[in-house]
């Protein structure tokens, strides 16, 4: 019984993933990568600034 449920979940997840990948273009992937890099840089900068501000006090 659990094997059937696992197979159903894997099949459903795989089908969903493949249908989403078919809809994405290279521009969407590049845009997502650029936005992720900008977000990571901003997060790092804010964390670094807050850390410096709390050390001075």
């Amino acid at each position: 019984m659990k094997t059937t449920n696992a197979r159903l979940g894997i099949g459903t997840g795989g089908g969903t993933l493949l249908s989403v990948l078919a809809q994405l273009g290279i521009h969407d992937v590049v845009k997502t990568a650029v936005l992720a890099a900008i977000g990571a840089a901003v997060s790092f900068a804010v964390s670094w600034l807050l850390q410096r501000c709390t050390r001075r006090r």
Side-chain angles (χ1 to χ4, degrees), residues 6-42:
R7 287 182 182 171
L8 179 64
I10 291 171
T12 303
T16 302
L17 180 64
L18 289 176
S19 67
V20 168
L21 287 177
Q23 298 296 323
L24 291 177
I26 189 68
H27 299 295
D28 294 328
V29 174
V30 171
K31 181 180 175 182
T32 301
V34 169
L35 289 174
I38 291 171
V42 169

